[in-house]
């Protein structure tokens, strides 16, 4: 099991709940609610952690590297894509950092100023070789909405198959805004990706493949000066 920590920032309230007592898929905590037995003062946090550490029968002990590997296949595929992106950006000389808060519109930060949104596609969605990725966020009411124009600066799309990345696209946000995929007035909540190996027949798909080609990169051991300049 794990310790689940939940924080109410506006009131600085803290809940620390043992994972083995949670039997629901959605967890909601309120002052005086069902989980109030697990609400603690911040000054008690060290004691709570110490008690958990002294109970190896309830809380698993694994190396950091083991905890960094996701359990679900979907998240494992996402991790493969992210690692490819980190390796590429660092190889061409860009610094890579990660936001402190996860699950936001920014997944990594280049050179301290460029916000990158990562997307990973695990398999083609059609016989023509098309991949589909979602381009939306889920708000507090679980409603889907398009990304805002300033949510990120660069969209990185990794195409993963058989445990490795076959290629990736680095699409500037301004291109997505211009084409109506992001920002005010965006109508479509997904983006169809057509890599060079795809064979679309519809006119709109052929046009999409054409404009996406300038943002496509193959995975290589070494990248040319021209490819670095494209970034």
């Amino acid at each position: 099991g794990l310790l689940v920590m939940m924080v109410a920032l506006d009131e600085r309230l803290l809940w620390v709940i043992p994972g083995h007592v949670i039997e629901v898929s959605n967890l909601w905590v309120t002052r005086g609610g069902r989980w109030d037995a697990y609400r603690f003062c911040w000054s008690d946090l060290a004691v709570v952690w110490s008690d958990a550490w002294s109970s190896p029968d309830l809380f698993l002990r694994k190396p950091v590297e083991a905890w960094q590997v996701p359990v679900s296949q979907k998240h494992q595929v996402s991790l493969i894509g992210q690692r490819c992106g980190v390796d590429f950006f660092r190889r061409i000389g860009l610094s890579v950092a990660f936001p402190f808060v996860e699950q936001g519109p920014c997944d990594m930060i280049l050179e301290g100023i460029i916000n990158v949104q990562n997307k990973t596609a695990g398999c083609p969605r059609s016989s023509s070789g098309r991949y589909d990725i979602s381009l939306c966020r889920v708000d507090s009411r679980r409603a889907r909405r398009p990304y805002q124009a300033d949510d990120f600066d660069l969209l990185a799309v990794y195409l993963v198959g058989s445990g490795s990345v076959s290629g990736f696209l680095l699409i500037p946000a301004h291109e997505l805004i211009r084409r109506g995929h992001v920002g005010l007035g965006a109508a479509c909540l997904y983006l169809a990706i057509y890599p060079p190996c795809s064979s679309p027949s519809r006119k709109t798909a052929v046009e999409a493949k054409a404009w996406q080609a300038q943002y496509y990169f193959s995975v290589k051991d070494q990248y040319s000066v021209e490819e670095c300049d494209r970034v």
Side-chain angles (χ1 to χ4, degrees):
L2 299 172
L3 279 179
V4 178
M5 293 182 57
M6 305 189 69
V7 179
L9 296 176
D10 54 345
E11 298 184 72
R12 293 187 57 79
L13 299 178
L14 171 68
W15 288 261
V16 185
I17 308 174
H20 63 272
V21 304
I22 301 175
E23 299 178 346
V24 294
S25 57
N26 295 305
L27 189 60
W28 300 89
V29 293
T30 58
R31 184 198 295 268
R34 171 184 177 184
W35 302 101
D36 225 37
Y38 301 100
R39 181 159 59 90
F40 296 92
C41 297
W42 285 90
S43 58
D44 297 328
L45 190 55
V47 175
V48 174
W49 285 345
S50 178
D51 289 345
W53 181 254
S54 62
S55 304
D57 55 325
L58 294 178
F59 301 100
L60 300 178
R61 296 182 182 181
K62 294 182 179 181
V64 172
E65 294 76 13
W67 286 118
Q68 290 176 337
V69 178
V71 175
S72 73
Q73 183 177 4
K74 177 182 178 181
H75 289 157
Q76 289 175 3
V77 170
S78 296
L79 180 61
I80 292 172
Q82 177 179 281
R83 286 177 172 173
C84 172
V86 171
D87 178 71
F88 170 76
F89 290 126
R90 288 177 174 167
R91 191 177 297 182
I92 65 174
L94 299 179
S95 66
V96 180
F98 299 94
F100 182 75
V101 178
E102 297 182 349
Q103 306 302 324
C106 172
D107 294 315
M108 64 174 65
I109 306 169
L110 306 179
E111 296 294 289
I113 57 173
I114 302 173
N115 294 329
V116 181
Q117 163 66 211
N118 289 329
K119 295 290 185 182
T120 304
C123 61
R125 304 295 294 179
S126 71
S127 58
S128 65
R130 184 195 80 227
Y131 293 80
D132 290 339
I133 61 167
S134 63
L135 272 183
C136 62
R137 299 187 67 186
V138 180
D139 61 23
S140 59
R141 287 179 277 185
R142 305 189 69 79
R144 296 180 180 273
R145 64 169 179 79
Y147 285 104
Q148 297 179 7
D150 58 353
D151 274 345
F152 58 85
D153 305 303
L154 182 69
L155 175 68
V157 182
Y158 310 101
L159 308 181
V160 178
S162 301
S164 62
V165 177
S166 59
F168 56 94
L169 294 88
L170 302 177
I171 307 176
H174 64 76
E175 182 76 66
L176 298 170
I177 295 170
R178 185 172 71 86
R179 296 184 178 277
H181 293 289
V182 169
L184 186 65
C188 190
L189 299 181
Y190 76 94
L191 176 65
I193 297 294
Y194 297 93
C197 61
S198 63
S199 55
S201 57
R202 293 185 297 108
K203 179 181 178 181
T204 55
V206 172
E207 292 173 347
K209 178 180 179 178
W211 73 258
Q212 291 173 10
Q214 61 185 312
Y215 302 118
Y216 181 84
F217 293 81
S218 298
V219 177
K220 303 177 180 179
D221 292 330
Q222 187 173 359
Y223 293 91
S224 65
V225 175
E226 179 183 355
E227 288 172 315
C228 295
D229 289 342
R230 285 170 57 196
V231 178

